[in-house]
Amino acid sequence: MADPDESERAAELARLIARDVATLTDDELVELIRTWGELRRSAPDRIGRAVAVLYQRDKLSWPEISRLTGIAAMTAHGWAQPYLTADHETERGPRKGRRREPGT
């Protein structure tokens, strides 16, 4: 769960994005650019965590994640790799529709 400060920044960014940039004040433009830059720098980490959770639910293969998200399978895998638990097989390709049994 995001902390309240982060949630507030995300809500403010969404509000600014929804507006025509020509109507924003200088301060709002600076805030938009600064916040968007912070999000851009943190995107691989945040996306990697989300992709790892999606993959570890044992429902989607890397090609399926790629198809659904528009992120290349190898890129998604690379971003998720640091957040995948050791007991998940990350190199086996598409799922076979079954969960791995613990200890196998």
Side-chain angles (χ1 to χ4, degrees), residues 54-55 57-62 64-65 67-68 95:
L54 186 61
Y55 179 81
R57 288 181 177 169
D58 287 326
K59 295 178 182 173
L60 299 175
S61 66
W62 293 113
E64 290 169 314
I65 290 171
R67 183 179 57 77
L68 292 170
R95 299 289 167 95

Side-chain angles (χ1 to χ4, degrees), residues 11-102:
E12 177 64 11
L13 180 61
R15 186 185 70 76
L16 293 172
I17 289 171
R19 293 178 50 200
D20 179 353
V21 294
T23 67
L24 299 176
T25 66
D26 288 352
D27 288 342
E28 289 172 325
L29 286 168
V30 168
E31 180 65 18
L32 173 67
I33 294 164
R34 187 178 58 73
T35 303
W36 215 321
E38 290 170 7
L39 289 174
R40 193 182 111 256
R41 285 185 296 279
S42 67
D45 176 66
R46 292 170 185 269
I47 293 169
R49 289 175 190 273
V51 171
V53 169
L54 186 61
Y55 179 81
Q56 290 178 132
R57 288 181 177 169
D58 287 326
K59 295 178 182 173
L60 299 175
S61 66
W62 293 113
E64 290 169 314
I65 290 171
S66 176
R67 183 179 57 77
L68 292 170
T69 65
I71 297 172
M74 292 304 294
T75 299
H77 179 268
W79 286 347
Q81 186 66 41
Y83 310 105
L84 294 171
T85 59
D87 64 338
H88 264 81
E89 297 172 330
T90 59
E91 306 297 330
R92 294 198 75 191
R95 299 289 167 95
K96 304 296 184 203
R98 59 183 164 78
R99 293 183 75 85
R100 255 184 99 210
E101 294 301 319

